[in-house]
Amino acid sequence: MKQETKRLYLENPYQVEFEARVADKMIWEKKPALILDQTCFYPESGGQPSDKGSINEVEVLKVLEDEARIIHLVAEDMPAGKVAGKIDWKTRFDHMQQHSGQHILSQSFHELLAAETLAFHLGESFSTLEMDLRKISEDEIEQIERRANEIVYEDREIKCYFVPEEKIESVPLRRPPKKKGLIRVVEVSDFDFSACGGTHVRRTGEIGLIKILRLERIRNNIRFEFICGARALEDYLRKSRIVRELSTRFTVSEEEVLNTVEKLSSDLKSQRRAGKKLQEKIAQYEAQEITQDAKEKIIKEVFVDKTLEEARYLALNIIKKGDFVVLFGQEGEERGHLILACSENLDIDMRELVPLVSPLIKGKGGGRPSLVEVAGEEKENLNQALNKAFEFVKKKIGPNL
Ligand SMILES: [Zn+2]
């Protein structure tokens, strides 16, 4: 018969240190593993991660449940016999806050929207609740948060007790129990009754703030991200710092930050539009100037002070004038670009140039018959690539230009 582990955390989740006897040793998930006659370590289950801590000062890596046994995966093997264990209280209390907060949040959803809890997951930085809901308004979310936090302020007792399966009907459980036999009931006094084997605080006041962060739609349900207690305080500190800094930077009150950002972003958009128009105008003038002075119909140049977009505009404006071939290089910060274009009246397909010039700059590219672009790593070879393109174009249509 397999050794059953006595779960000390069920009786007293505030117990941090314990003594135990090693009942069995094994290798589990390629790590040395211990089964003790009793333990304070909560094993990964019911959406709650396992506790952290040590046994005989050796780090406990993971704690798992195998039916009635609890398996402790440890960093190194140790002799059998008596051991002393210690759980990390900070992690345990954090889990107690998140998990107890979840019961209250679930019941608040149930009370206000008759919504069932489908799944709960306690994560490293936030927890999630998947609810049987199709839609929810901003106001309803706030109502749920207000109700949940009201239960916190009332500092209600949270009791845990066992009820035999045949008598469980008398307990107004929020969800029917998944387990058989003796069922552990966690009661938030006169508010919520859940069948649960997790670790909870003694009174709701210990949970601290319960806050929903955001929601997403999943499997036709809604999943909420939430935080409680110390996590909620950290989140508030971080967010108030951001708002304070924004308000200082824009020299407006915190309430005005959002309006100010909206105005700035719309100003930026219209400035961008104006900038683009200006850029087009400049490209037109520049194209005019270049084509007027051009001694040759093939225009070849490498730019370092133009952006790729500016060079492209210029090329397009030049070929619009008819009878021109443009061979441009543009040196970006990390890569070099080639813009090879020709007026549509010319009988030349610029795509033929791509395999010729690409290897010279270790590049890749493509485009349409009148315009191709190649981007490559070796920007120092742009000139060489343009010379190659020049020769090709000259040979192909030189006499007609
Ligand atoms: Zn629970």
Side-chain angles (χ1 to χ4, degrees), residues 21-199:
R21 199 178 47 76
V22 177
D24 204 354
K25 295 209 307 179
M26 62 191 74
I27 297 291
W28 198 279
E29 292 179 6
K30 294 182 184 160
K31 298 273 184 232
L34 304 173
I35 291 173
L36 310 177
D37 60 344
Q38 57 175 9
T39 188
C40 279
F41 280 90
Y42 180 84
E44 204 176 276
S45 60
Q48 183 176 327
S50 57
D51 277 315
K52 292 178 181 156
S54 61
I55 295 171
N56 280 358
E57 314 265 303
V58 173
E59 192 193 348
V60 173
L61 305 170
K62 202 172 172 184
V63 190
L64 301 163
E65 202 173 24
D66 179 42
E67 290 170 17
R69 310 185 305 170
I70 292 179
I71 300 165
H72 307 74
L73 273 57
V74 286
E76 54 189 80
D77 195 16
M78 64 186 76
K82 268 191 141 185
V83 291
K86 190 177 179 190
I87 60 155
D88 174 39
W89 171 245
K90 207 170 164 240
T91 307
R92 160 63 65 85
F93 186 63
D94 170 57
H95 291 174
M96 282 157 71
Q97 283 188 318
Q98 312 311 316
H99 194 143
S100 309
Q102 177 261 313
H103 284 237
I104 293 173
L105 211 47
S106 281
Q107 178 58 25
S108 303
F109 272 106
H110 190 82
E111 201 182 78
L112 292 162
L113 300 175
E116 293 297 322
T117 298
L118 300 174
F120 161 57
H121 179 256
L122 202 170
E124 285 267 338
S125 48
F126 58 83
S127 302
T128 57
L129 259 188
E130 187 178 332
M131 304 301 303
D132 185 12
L133 269 177
R134 306 291 85 71
K135 59 181 173 65
I136 191 164
S137 69
E138 202 74 48
D139 282 348
E140 285 170 326
I141 294 175
E142 280 184 16
Q143 273 176 41
I144 284 163
E145 288 175 315
R146 285 181 208 289
R147 178 61 174 148
N149 284 287
E150 203 171 83
I151 300 295
V152 171
Y153 310 148
E154 287 166 5
D155 199 24
R156 297 190 189 209
E157 193 185 350
I158 301 182
K159 287 173 278 195
C160 301
Y161 44 86
F162 286 93
V163 176
E165 192 184 348
E166 55 276 14
K167 288 196 180 155
I168 199 70
E169 291 280 318
S170 64
V171 183
L173 288 180
R174 180 161 37 81
R175 292 165 85 187
K178 284 184 196 148
K179 296 205 167 144
K180 302 223 168 282
L182 264 186
I183 291 159
R184 185 171 186 248
V185 175
V186 175
E187 177 188 341
V188 178
S189 194
D190 291 330
F191 180 66
D192 183 55
F193 296 78
S194 297
C196 181
T199 51

Side-chain angles (χ1 to χ4, degrees), residues 8-27:
L8 299 170
Y9 60 83
L10 288 180
E11 289 159 32
N12 181 10
Y14 292 81
Q15 186 180 341
V16 171
E17 291 181 42
F18 67 100
E19 286 194 342
R21 199 178 47 76
V22 177
D24 204 354
K25 295 209 307 179
M26 62 191 74
I27 297 291

